[in-house]
Each structure stands twice: as C-alpha cells, then as structure tokens.
C-alpha cells in the first residue's frame, strides 16, 4: 500500500470505538485483536465531543491510552481527526452550523454528519481540532495514516442556508467572472430568469416548478467542491504538521454526489466502504465494478476501509452473510486491488443505531460463528502478504464522467428519467466480468493509448476536448446512446446529438425515442428497453437494425472505422462486444465463478452455492492451501483459490 510501508503485508482490522466501552474492556480488545491478526484499527471517527467536551478544553488522556495499548499489541492506527460530527455544545452555541434542506427546514442535532459544508464557524472549529490532534499525535508510534471526516456526502451532501447561498454565489463568480457570462451559460432568457447581479442568485431550493437544469448542474459541481474544501482545509493542517503521514478519507463506492476523479487527486491513499447485499445473488458484480473504480482513481492499490462481517443495520431487511461469504467478499476486494480488508466494526455495539450491525467480535463473543470467521480470515490474510502492492493491468477501459452523470439524471427535464448511469455501466461491465476480463475506469480526457478496447456507456455532456481525446484513440471504441448531447453548460450542441462526436461516429440523431416501462424494442442484435433513437447515417455502416414498431428497418447499431455506436439500451450487449473480445486476455470460467488477475496471481471466486469445475489456464500454487494445482480443479460453494502462477511476477 502506497504510504503504509510501516505495516508489512496486507492490512486487517476495522473501526474501533473504545469510547463506547468501559476502559477495562480495552485490554481484552487489544488481546483479541492480536489473536485475530488485526494490524490496523480506525480510531476516533466520531469522538469530537469526547476529545473536546467544551470549547477549547481537550481531554486526550483516554485516546493516549488507547493508542499506547494498540501499539503495544502490534496494531497500527488509522487515526481520525474526529471531525465527522460536531459536538452538541458547538451546535447549541452556533445553531447555524446545522444544514438546511431544500424546503428551508434546518435539521436537528441527534444523528451524525450534521453540519453545513459552507459554515465558516464549523470550518474554524474543525481546523482548530485537527491542529490539536495533529500536534499531539504527529509522532505517536501507532500512527500510520490520517483519516479525515467520514463518508462525505452520506447524510449531508448539500445545504440551502444563507451561508451556503453566499458560498454558491462566490463559487459562481469565480467560475463565470461576471453575471452576463452566467446568464449565457444558464440560458436565463428561458422562463424569464435573467439575472442582473450575483446577489440575486439562490441555491435551487424547492420551487413552483422544474428548476433550471444548468443551475442544478452547477449546484452539483458546487456541492462536491464545497465538501472537498472542507477536506482540503484539514489536509493542509495535517500536511504542515505531519508531512510524512499519508492522508485518506473513506469513499462510498460509485457515489452520485461527489466527483471522485477530482477528490482522489487530493488523497494519498484511496479507501472505500463497500456493503454488497448478501440477499442479492448478483451483488458481487456491482461491487467488483466499484472496486475497479477505486483501483483506477489513482491507478494504484487502494484499501477497503469498511465492509460488513455479516448483516448491516440500515436495509429494510438485514440478512446475515451465510458461512463463507465474509471470506469470499474479502478475497474479492483483494483480487480487485485492495491492499487489505477492514470492517465496521471491531466490537459489536450495545446501543445506538448500529447496535445490530455485525462486527468482527459479535455480541456473543468468542464462541460465535462470526468470531471463528474472523480468526480464519486473519490466518488467510497472513498467507497472502505477497499480494501487497501488486498492480493490475487492464486492456479495457470504461469511461465514467461525473458531470455527465449529474446532467443525465437531472429531474424533470429529460426525454426519459429512466436512463440511469449505474445501470448503463453495469450493462457493459457484466459480460466483461463474466469472462474474467480486467477493466479500468477512466475519466474523459485521460490518455487511453494503453488500452485495446474503450467503452463509453454514456457521455451526455461532451466537450470538444473530450471528443478529440476519444478520436485520438486507435483501438476498438464503443459509444453508447444519448451521448454528445450537450456542452459543459448543459446546452444542446448545434445541430443536435451527437454534437462533437458526429464526425467520429458518422451518424446524426434525428430524434430520441425513449421507451415506456415494459415496452420492448426488438433489434437484429437482440431486444432493447428503456431507450432507442432515430438516427441517420452520415458515413457509418449499419451493423444492426430495429425490428418492428415505428423504427422498423432503421439502423440501431452502426460502425465507422474502429468506432461502434449503439443507439439503444440492449438487454445483452455481448453481441456488440464479441468481435472485440477475441484478442483480449480472459479466463473461461463457469457462470457464477469470478476470475481476476492481479499481478502474478489469479483469483478464482465461486459466488454460487454449488460446486464448480474450472480449468486452470496455467499451473500454480494456491496460497490459501499451499497446494500445487494444474488442469481441472473443483471449487466448493463460496470457496476460492488464489493461484501464484508459475513463471509470473
């Protein structure tokens, strides 16, 4: 793991909340952590009110003792700055630090993440606490990483208070320079919204009708940036006082609210929280996609900072993980580039909203199935230490753009509200995942020259520069529907879609043809749902056509040179991918088995409840059993093999 060289091998542990327990329990915690092989604990995430019970009065003694105890038992600390939730004294003295929703209601204290991202009062106190934490613990031997905030945008993505309005106007002035440029970008001549001063602009609060989509797009950009400013304020303090300690904050997989390409540039280590649903037999596919994003953000190993040993506490029905699934999910994260597996949390809580959330040490203690799973995973991770730092080489990239996502899913202003970016991503990712093809994700504009196949599921918002970047790619390129529609200001490109992609694709979109729920549009490549388009060929060739209905006989899939355009949302995109898959590295595995290459290792993960036979592409040694394997092997239900492939490094 980049920056965590002080902890050898793979990382194992989780969130530790000693403030929830009597001090006499702490020694038992440390002893059991050592027994389980835990080497990293996330500490003090929600401890502000305990560390600063009154303004300017600090009580660090208990945390000193916790960190000393952890270090004495060989457990390092991912030490939080404790700023995830403000203390009650701050909220009561300054009620305006709490966020206001779009209806103008100020939210009340009593949960977590209760703060306005734009509040200067909150920021002042946040920086002061971070300074105190960094000053006290910069040289503590347990400290190996700083943990800033917690799951940004989980509960508080936006605030509509007057202070947020002021901040938004300041952000807009920096972006546009003058109000005339803003009017031009927002198209305020529509519906009589022309502004004559920035002071007239407010956040997009609840209005009588649909809000200007260009304003909503800028609001999404602003909200992501406003929270990033909070993170950067803490980072600046930590970097000055403890320059050699890496800094992270825990992402939340593929989260709509924050532009993780922009955020990841500010992190030393990308870390993620992932909670696939044990009740969903396909959840391992979606979480694999999110793991590939985490690996792609900085193009280096990352860290799974939170996961669930068994059941969570926040779904309508919280089913536990059956035997073997905790281990299997953990190995999956390692396969996709994580340098460790951490959990929420170490000891299961007795009270609070998460008292029924599973933990490495369950309510029933060391006699439980859960504790035996913890011990087994610790043993396995020690066997897999050579994986730390290993990278993944992918020949396929999927383009993901947050600004396109925000524009695509703007409410009440689109031809259809049924086009969802995550579904579009999964439609293309699923058949690649099933064949063991390694996939990176990439922002538009990134150099794509190292890939053989690039897929753009959707690029609703497309600039000239992004189009030029795609045109420069000389491998196989597939572009999905409703792409190249608007510019960076959410204004339709002259001549309509696909805008700056017109020359690259060799088609023009005459009319969007969204489909009602339950309606199927047949094509010669298979059935499509949700979306179709009436397109005209410019200098592209038809590959597949629509069958039946008003679009009968019209082109549905086209090709120009190395570029394929898919104008509909196919139930199965495999026929489109097949011509490009032949020359790609892949592993043939039965349905339900996941094959992932990481460095010189091959992971084979059986996500089913039946035994599966797999033919190994090359002989090797299973690190989990220390057994030499070759030819055909059999995977037990929810079992795995981590094969060190002979001759690979």
């Amino acid at each position: 793991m980049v920056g965590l060289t002080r902890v050898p091998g793979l990382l194992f542990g989780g969130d530790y909340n000693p403030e929830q327990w009597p001090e006499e329990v702490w020694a038992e915690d440390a002893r059991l952590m050592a027994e389980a092989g835990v080497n990293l604990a996330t500490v003090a995430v929600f401890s502000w009110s305990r560390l600063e019970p009154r303004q300017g009065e600090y009580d660090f003694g208990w945390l000193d003792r916790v960190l000393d105890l952890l270090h004495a038992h060989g457990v390092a600390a991912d030490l939080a700055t404790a700023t995830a939730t403000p203390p009650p004294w701050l909220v009561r003295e300054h009620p305006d630090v709490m966020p206001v929703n779009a209806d103008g209601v100020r939210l009340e204290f009593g949960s977590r993440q209760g703060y306005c991202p734009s509040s200067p009062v909150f920021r002042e106190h946040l920086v002061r606490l971070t300074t105190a934490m960094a000053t006290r613990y910069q040289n503590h031997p347990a400290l190996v990483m700083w943990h800033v905030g917690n799951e940004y945008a989980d509960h508080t993505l936006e605030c509509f208070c007057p202070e947020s309005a002021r901040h938004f106007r300041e952000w807009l002035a920096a972006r546009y320079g003058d109000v005339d440029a803003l009017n031009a970008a927002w198209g305020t001549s529509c519906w009589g919204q022309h502004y004559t001063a920035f002071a007239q602009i407010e956040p997009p609060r609840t209005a009588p009708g649909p809000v200007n989509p260009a304003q909503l797009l800028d609001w999404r950009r602003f909200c992501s940036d406003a929270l990033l400013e909070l993170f950067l304020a803490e980072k600046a303090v930590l970097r000055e006082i403890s320059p050699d300690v890496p800094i992270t904050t825990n992402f939340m997989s593929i989260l709509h609210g924050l532009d993780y390409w922009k955020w990841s540039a500010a992190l030393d280590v990308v870390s993620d929280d992932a909670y696939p649903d044990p009740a969903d037999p396909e959840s391992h596919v979606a979480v694999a996609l999110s793991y590939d994003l985490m690996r792609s953000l900085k193009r280096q190993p990352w860290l799974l900072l939170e996961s669930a040993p068994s059941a969570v506490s926040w779904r309508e029905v919280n089913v536990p993980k059956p035997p073997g699934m905790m281990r299997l999910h953990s190995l999956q994260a390692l396969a996709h580039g994580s340098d460790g597996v951490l959990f929420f949390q170490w000891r299961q809580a007795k009270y609070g909203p998460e008292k029924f959330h599973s933990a490495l040490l369950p309510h029933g203690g060391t006699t439980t199935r859960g504790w035996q799973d913890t011990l087994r995973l610790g043993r396995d991770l020690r066997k897999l230490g050579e994986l730390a730092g290993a990278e993944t080489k992918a020949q396929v990239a999927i383009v993901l753009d947050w600004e396109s996502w925000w524009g695509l899913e703007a409410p009440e202003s689109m031809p259809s509200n049924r086009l969802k970016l995550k579904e579009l991503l999964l439609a293309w990712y699923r058949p690649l995942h099933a064949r063991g093809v390694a996939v990176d994700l990439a922002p538009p504009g990134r150099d794509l020259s190292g890939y053989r196949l690039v897929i753009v599921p959707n690029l609703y918002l497309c600039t000239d520069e992004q189009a030029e970047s795609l045109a420069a790619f000389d491998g196989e390129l597939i572009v999905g529907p409703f792409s190249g529609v608007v510019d960076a200001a959410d204004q339709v490109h002259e001549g309509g879609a696909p805008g700056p992609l017109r020359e690259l694709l060799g088609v023009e979109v005459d009319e969007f043809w969204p489909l009602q729920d339950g309606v199927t549009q047949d094509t010669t490549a298979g059935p499509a749902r949700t979306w179709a388009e009436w397109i005209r060929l410019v200098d592209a060739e038809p590959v597949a056509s629509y069958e039946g209905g008003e679009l009968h006989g019209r082109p549905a899939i086209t090709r120009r040179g190395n570029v394929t355009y898919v104008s509909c949302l196919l139930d199965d995109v495999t026929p489109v991918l097949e011509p490009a898959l032949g020359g790609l590295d892949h592993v043939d595995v039965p349905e339900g088995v996941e094959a992932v290459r990481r460095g010189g290792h091959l992971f084979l993960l059986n996500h089913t409840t039946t035994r599966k036979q797999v033919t190994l592409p090359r002989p090797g040694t299973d690190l989990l059993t220390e057994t030499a394997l070759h030819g055909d092997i059999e995977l037990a239900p929810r079992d795995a093999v981590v094969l060190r492939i002979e001759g690979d490094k």
Side-chain angles (χ1 to χ4, degrees):
M1 168 67 63
V2 175
L4 269 71
T5 54
R6 287 176 53 193
V7 184
L10 296 173
L11 301 169
F12 178 43
D15 282 53
Y16 182 40
N17 299 296
E19 64 270 35
Q20 296 180 13
W21 300 93
E23 190 160 346
E24 55 265 25
V25 175
W26 300 353
E28 181 187 32
D29 284 329
R31 178 181 61 80
L32 291 175
M33 286 182 189
E35 180 181 338
V38 166
N39 56 14
L40 184 66
T42 300
V43 185
V45 174
F46 297 108
S47 299
W48 191 340
S49 62
R50 289 292 303 272
L51 292 168
E52 189 181 10
R54 286 163 293 280
Q55 181 173 341
E57 297 182 17
Y58 298 107
D59 179 9
F60 289 121
W62 67 273
L63 185 55
D64 293 346
R65 296 191 295 278
V66 167
L67 293 177
D68 291 346
L69 186 63
L70 292 176
H71 178 65
H73 285 78
V75 181
D78 166 37
L79 182 57
T81 53
T83 54
T85 293
W89 60 259
L90 177 56
V91 173
R92 295 308 173 217
E93 291 178 18
H94 302 279
D96 55 357
V97 303
M98 292 297 290
V100 173
N101 67 18
D103 294 326
V105 176
R106 189 174 296 280
L107 304 183
E108 182 50 86
F109 182 83
S111 182
R112 64 177 186 174
Q113 216 173 75
Y115 53 79
C116 164
S118 300
S119 167
V121 173
F122 178 67
R123 188 169 304 191
E124 174 190 345
H125 285 80
L126 169 144
V127 167
R128 190 162 46 78
L129 177 62
T130 302
T131 302
M133 291 285 286
T135 301
R136 187 169 188 91
Y137 296 112
Q138 58 181 311
N139 296 316
H140 196 286
L143 174 65
V144 296
M145 184 163 64
W146 286 113
H147 181 106
V148 177
N150 187 72
E151 294 185 333
Y152 283 98
D154 180 20
H155 299 289
T156 300
L157 167 62
E158 56 193 358
C159 175
F160 295 84
C161 74
E163 194 57 54
S164 295
R166 177 205 60 76
H167 194 189
F168 184 40
R169 289 189 287 268
E170 180 183 272
W171 184 92
L172 291 170
R175 180 175 178 86
Y176 293 107
D178 59 60
V179 74
D180 289 338
L182 178 141
N183 280 315
W186 282 12
T188 56
S189 57
C190 179
W191 285 11
Q193 296 177 6
H194 185 80
Y195 297 101
T196 56
F198 282 109
Q200 298 164 0
I201 300 172
E202 293 290 329
R205 301 187 183 95
T206 303
V211 175
N212 186 335
Q215 180 183 5
L216 287 174
L217 177 57
D218 269 343
W219 179 249
R220 293 271 67 84
R221 290 168 170 143
F222 162 75
C223 290
S224 179
D225 285 355
L227 283 168
L228 182 55
E229 284 183 26
L230 277 184
F231 172 84
L232 291 173
E234 292 196 58
K235 178 185 175 181
V237 172
L238 298 172
R239 187 62 82 229
E240 179 180 356
I241 297 175
S242 54
D244 298 326
V245 180
I247 301 168
T248 194
T249 188
N250 42 340
F251 287 167
M252 298 181 66
S253 298
I254 306 179
L255 182 71
H256 178 263
L258 302 182
D259 182 347
Y260 280 164
W261 297 117
K262 197 170 187 177
W263 273 72
S264 61
L267 303 184
D268 298 319
V269 176
V270 169
S271 59
D272 186 40
D273 296 353
Y275 293 95
D277 188 352
D280 178 4
E282 295 296 316
S283 65
H284 66 282
V285 181
V287 80
L289 173 62
S290 69
Y291 290 162
D292 286 345
L293 171 64
M294 294 303 131
R295 187 191 68 244
S296 302
L297 287 171
K298 293 183 79 72
R299 290 184 276 193
Q300 66 186 34
W302 55 282
L303 180 60
L304 181 60
L305 204 56
E306 281 188 28
S307 52
S310 189
V312 299
S313 59
W314 38 265
R315 294 188 176 103
E316 289 189 9
V317 178
N318 298 299
V319 302
K321 290 183 177 180
M325 187 174 282
M326 169 199 179
R327 175 178 183 260
L328 188 67
H329 283 180
S330 300
L331 294 174
Q332 184 188 26
L334 300 178
H336 288 271
S338 179
D339 267 358
V341 185
L342 284 85
F343 295 85
F344 184 85
Q345 56 181 325
W346 161 252
R347 181 183 284 269
Q348 195 167 15
K350 290 180 62 176
Y351 47 73
E354 293 174 315
K355 60 182 176 291
F356 295 120
H357 193 294
S358 58
L360 291 172
L361 181 60
H363 288 144
T366 57
T367 61
T368 58
R369 174 180 74 89
W371 177 248
Q372 295 308 309
D373 287 346
T374 297
L375 294 177
R376 183 188 185 191
L377 181 59
R379 291 192 295 268
D380 283 341
L381 292 177
R382 288 192 288 275
K383 297 175 184 176
L384 301 177
E386 66 187 64
L387 286 165
E391 298 186 352
T392 300
K393 294 181 180 179
Q395 297 176 303
V396 179
I398 295 178
V399 172
L400 165 60
D401 177 47
W402 257 267
E403 295 195 351
S404 265
W405 188 1
W406 294 332
L408 175 70
E409 297 188 13
E412 301 179 308
S413 66
M414 306 299 283
S416 172
N417 288 329
R418 299 294 191 265
L419 273 182
K420 304 297 182 184
L421 187 68
K422 282 187 180 180
E423 294 176 11
L424 294 170
L425 292 170
L426 276 169
W428 292 100
Y429 182 80
R430 191 175 289 111
L432 296 167
H433 175 270
R435 294 192 58 167
V437 175
V439 176
D440 285 346
L441 283 90
R446 177 177 282 182
D447 179 15
L448 302 171
S449 59
Y451 300 104
R452 298 179 63 175
L453 170 64
V454 170
I455 302 168
V456 186
N458 172 267
L459 198 59
Y460 165 74
L461 187 158
C462 182
T463 65
D464 291 341
E465 294 76 16
Q466 291 168 350
E468 290 168 4
S469 174
L470 292 176
F473 176 63
D474 60 2
E476 284 291 318
L477 176 64
I478 299 174
V479 179
F482 205 44
S483 293
V485 181
V486 300
D487 62 15
D490 202 27
Q491 296 192 9
V492 175
H493 286 293
E494 186 175 349
L501 298 174
R502 185 177 292 109
E503 182 177 349
L504 177 65
L505 302 180
V507 303
E508 293 179 344
V509 179
D510 188 292
E511 196 169 15
F512 305 123
W513 211 276
L515 306 174
Q516 295 284 352
D517 290 348
V519 174
T520 299
Q521 172 64 63
D522 289 328
T523 79
T524 55
R529 303 176 199 276
T530 306
W531 190 265
E533 294 173 355
W534 185 303
I535 62 176
R536 296 192 303 270
L537 302 179
V538 178
D539 60 351
E541 298 294 327
V543 173
S545 59
Y546 291 108
E547 291 187 314
E550 300 296 334
L551 297 176
H552 181 74
R554 301 208 61 82
I557 303 173
T558 65
R559 187 167 176 84
R560 179 182 179 274
N562 63 317
V563 183
T564 300
Y565 181 60
V566 183
S567 70
C568 53
L569 193 59
L570 293 169
D571 284 0
D572 182 7
V573 300
T574 303
V576 183
L577 287 171
E578 283 294 347
L581 289 179
L584 297 178
D585 295 336
H586 70 280
V587 180
D588 291 322
V589 288
E591 184 176 357
V593 174
E594 181 178 13
V596 189
R597 282 289 301 265
R598 182 179 179 187
H601 299 83
L602 173 66
F603 286 73
L604 296 170
L605 309 165
N606 183 4
H607 293 280
T608 75
T609 56
T610 59
R611 303 185 76 84
K612 296 287 185 176
Q613 183 171 297
V614 179
T615 301
L616 299 180
R618 290 169 60 183
T621 300
D622 178 18
L623 300 183
L624 296 170
T625 60
E626 300 177 343
T627 303
L629 300 176
H630 62 88
D632 293 339
I633 64 168
E634 197 169 74
L635 283 175
R638 300 195 190 99
D639 201 0
V641 163
V642 182
L643 199 69
R644 183 200 296 128
I645 301 173
E646 291 183 7
D648 275 14
K649 295 182 179 180

